[in-house]
Amino acid sequence: MTVSVRDLDVELGGRRVLRSVTMEVAAGSWTAVIGPNGAGKSTLLRAVLGLRDGRGTIRISGRDVRAMRPRQRARLVAYAPQSPRLPPDMTVFDYALLGRSPYIPHFGRESTHDRSVTADVLERLDLSGLAARTLDQLSGGERQRVVLARALAQQTPVLLLDEPTTALDIGHQQQVMELVDRLRLADGLTVMSTIHDLTLAAQYADRLELLSDGRVAASGSPADVLTRETIAAHFDAGVSVSHDAEGRPLLALERPARPGERPARPGERPARPGEGAGE
Ligand SMILES: Nc1ncnc2c1ncn2[C@@H]1O[C@H](COP(=O)(O)OP(=O)(O)OP(=O)(O)O)[C@@H](O)[C@H]1O
């Protein structure tokens, strides 16, 4: 399902946090929303979820998200927030099962199908062994995967992920990103995620939207958006950019030259004192 945001303005605490944001996330695609801290990325996801008021329109498959009833919306869009408050005494299984709420009748109980979907998602996220643990007994990375499990158990056509990998080791980062990508390809999920790791974003997203100070500052393919100049302008960071065999950008931080060093040329490691004789 296509997610379409048009001329979205959001104010929080009397300040404009999103300004005329327009973007189209194609059905079945993965868009990564990138940008420096405070740029408005989480606010955008929360707006798409219908949790932020503002001017402009947000449509999912042509339908205005703010006009939907919560239960109807929850069958279309799932959201894994960055750092949700988790009920400490709830078990991992029961928390992930909350993702099935939109399908459980009021005053009813979950079905065998709801429990089996939940068990399957926990299995795929390497969490089956923790199903009976309470949430206060998990590591940061385990908690993050449980939050994702709840969103995946919701089985919606649109998935919003706010920094899904920040607390994960490199193996679990790959596992989570591959799982989301497989679901996207198999079921035609539309994925919108914020992500700070720009190389990871470039590996998985079809399209990047760079937010800076509440505005869309750049958008397009990872190779178009992730240039040395754009990163310097919006993140105030020095990076070198190379490309993998498929042309996806690979970023590496470059340390600024220190006193006594010759400044590095683009793509070159700064020369240390004693190196580069004759210069
Ligand atoms: N409830 C709120 N009331 C007032 N200001 C808010 C509120 N929530 C967020 N903000 C402000 O809105 C701006 C955008 O916040 P947001 O969380 O969307 O940024 P972000 O791009 O996701 O940042 P980060 O990369 O640090 O997670 C920030 O300046 C933040 O301080």
Side-chain angles (χ1 to χ4, degrees):
M1 289 187 169
T2 307
V3 177
S4 168
V5 178
R6 288 264 169 279
D7 297 322
L8 180 67
D9 285 326
V10 173
E11 270 187 25
L12 293 173
R15 218 168 56 79
R16 277 177 79 189
V17 171
L18 294 180
R19 301 156 185 260
S20 302
V21 169
T22 292
M23 65 181 68
E24 186 93 358
V25 180
S29 70
W30 187 329
T31 288
V33 181
I34 59 167
N37 291 136
K41 304 180 295 297
S42 300
T43 304
L44 174 63
L45 291 197
R46 293 175 70 80
V48 171
L49 199 69
L51 297 181
R52 288 283 178 247
D53 289 333
R55 282 181 297 277
T57 57
I58 303 163
R59 295 184 187 280
I60 294 179
S61 201
R63 285 182 282 172
D64 182 349
V65 288
R66 290 151 170 158
M68 291 178 197
R69 288 194 306 279
R71 201 175 162 83
Q72 182 188 13
R73 199 162 53 213
R75 290 180 180 203
L76 286 185
V77 200
Y79 172 52
Q82 198 172 354
S83 38
R85 262 190 231 112
L86 299 180
D89 299 331
M90 190 176 264
T91 65
V92 165
F93 188 88
D94 285 347
Y95 183 77
L97 187 61
L98 290 176
R100 302 301 300 165
S101 306
Y103 308 98
I104 298 173
H106 296 300
F107 308 113
R109 278 193 65 81
E110 75 276 2
S111 64
T112 315
H113 177 65
D114 294 322
R115 296 188 75 83
S116 105
V117 168
T118 304
D120 180 52
V121 167
L122 291 179
E123 174 71 37
R124 287 177 182 224
L125 284 169
D126 229 2
L127 290 168
S128 298
L130 301 177
R133 280 246 200 116
T134 54
L135 297 175
D136 60 349
Q137 294 174 352
L138 300 178
S139 75
E142 289 161 352
R143 266 198 297 275
Q144 191 164 29
R145 279 182 288 136
V146 172
V147 172
L148 180 64
R150 175 183 169 163
L152 292 181
Q154 221 169 309
Q155 292 192 311
T156 53
V158 178
L159 189 57
L160 308 179
L161 306 174
D162 201 350
E163 293 293 342
T165 56
T166 38
L168 304 186
D169 63 62
I170 193 164
H172 282 113
Q173 284 183 19
Q174 189 173 39
Q175 181 197 31
V176 160
M177 298 296 270
E178 288 291 332
L179 172 60
V180 170
D181 205 40
R182 274 201 307 279
L183 291 172
R184 177 176 78 85
L185 293 170
D187 302 340
L189 284 192
T190 306
V191 182
M192 252 179 114
S193 68
T194 69
I195 187 157
H196 278 301
D197 183 330
L198 301 177
T199 297
L200 199 59
Q203 288 297 315
Y204 287 93
D206 310 301
R207 192 177 169 81
L208 302 186
E209 297 280 349
L210 168 61
L211 281 187
S212 187
D213 199 19
R215 296 179 193 281
V216 178
S219 56
S221 71
D224 285 345
V225 173
L226 294 179
T227 63
R228 186 181 167 80
E229 294 71 26
T230 306
I231 304 295
H234 296 285
F235 292 86
D236 197 19
V239 296
S240 62
V241 182
S242 55
H243 294 87
D244 70 9
E246 291 176 15
R248 293 189 180 254
L250 304 164
L251 275 63
L253 278 178
E254 275 183 349
R255 293 191 60 185
R258 283 177 277 174
E261 292 172 358
R262 174 178 61 72
R265 283 186 280 271
E268 183 194 58
R269 182 173 65 82
R272 304 281 173 231
E275 290 181 347
E279 291 200 31

